[in-house]
Amino acid sequence: MIGWRPGFLLLAATGALVAVLSVVVVSDGTPAMSSPATGDASPTLLRRLRESLAEPGTRLAFWTHFVTPFSSNTFGVLWGFPFLVAGEGLQASGAQAVLVTTVVVGVVAGPVMGVASVRFAAHRMHLVLGLVACQFVAWAVVLAVGDAPTWMLFAVAIAIGIGGPASIVAFDFVREHNPAYRLSTATGIVNAGGFTASVMVILLIGLTLNLTSGPGGAYDLSSFRIAMCWQIPFWALGALMVVREHRRTRARTDAGDRLSEVTVRSLPR
C-alpha cells in the first residue's frame, strides 16, 4: 500500500502523461467531415465548441451525464468507506461488501441500460429522472434514519450503482442531435458533466466534514449526515436542467420536422 497522497499523485501524473502522448502521438486518421453549414473540411475547434454548446441536445446530454453518476463516483472514489466505517459503524469487511455491491450492480446494469435506452428511446428522460429519484430516496432515508441497518446501506449501494450505467443515455442523446463532424467535440463536452459534479461534491463533502468533525478531526455519523446532503442540490439542479433542455430539444426537433415537411410539399411534382 502506498497511501492516499502518493496514489493520487501517481494517478495525476499518469493522466498528464496520457494527455501529452495524445497530443504528440495521436493524429486524425481521415480528413474531418465537411460542415454542412460552411463546407469547411476542417472547422476550427472553437467553432465546433460554439455549435455543440448551441445545440440543446448537447446540453441535454451534458446534464444527463451530470446528474446520474456523481453519487456513485463520490461513494466509490473517496467517501463511501469512511462513511460506512466511521459513520455507520460497519467493520471493514462489511464496508467492502457494500462497495463491491455498487461495482457489481454497475456491471450488471450496464447492458440493461443500453438495451433500455434503445427500446424506450422516447422515454429516456423519464428513465433518467426515475433512476435519479431512486438515488435521492435511498440516500434521504439513510440520512434521515441515521444509524441505518445494513440492508438499507446495501439498498443505497444498489440505487447509486445504477447511476454510472444510466449516464450512458447521455451519449445516445448527443449522437442523435449532433452531426458527425462535431460529434467528438460534443461528446467531450458531455463526458465532463458527471466528473465535474463528482469532483465538486467530493470537495464540498470534505470541506463540510472539516467544519463539523468531532474532537481531533475525527469523522462521526452526525458530520456525515450533514456533509452527504450536498448531493441533494446537485440532483435538484441536474434534474431541473434535464427537463429544461429536453423541452428545448423537443422544440427544435419539432421545428426541424415542420420545416422539412414544408420543404417537401413545396417541391414541384
Side-chain angles (χ1 to χ4, degrees), residues 155-211:
V156 167
I158 293 171
I160 66 176
I162 303 175
S167 67
I168 65 174
V169 176
F171 300 107
D172 283 332
F173 282 138
V174 79
R175 280 192 296 269
E176 284 187 352
H177 299 286
N178 284 276
Y181 77 91
R182 69 166 188 250
L183 185 57
S184 59
T185 302
T187 300
I189 294 170
V190 170
N191 199 40
F195 301 107
T196 300
S198 299
V199 170
M200 293 175 67
V201 173
I202 288 172
L203 174 62
L204 289 169
I205 289 174
L207 292 174
T208 304
L209 288 172
N210 285 343
L211 294 174

Side-chain angles (χ1 to χ4, degrees), residues 5 9 16 38 90 135 151 187 222:
R5 180 173 297 179
L9 288 174
T38 65
L90 294 186
Q135 295 183 54
W151 68 266
T187 300
S222 61

Side-chain angles (χ1 to χ4, degrees), residues 80-99 150 153-154:
F81 192 83
F83 169 76
L84 294 170
V85 175
E88 293 291 345
L90 294 186
Q91 297 296 321
S93 58
Q96 290 167 1
V98 175
L99 292 170
T150 304
L153 300 175
F154 276 99

Side-chain angles (χ1 to χ4, degrees), residues 17-18 62 68 79 105 128 154 186 213 222:
L17 176 61
V18 171
F62 174 88
T68 43
W79 292 120
V105 168
V128 167
F154 276 99
S213 57
S222 61

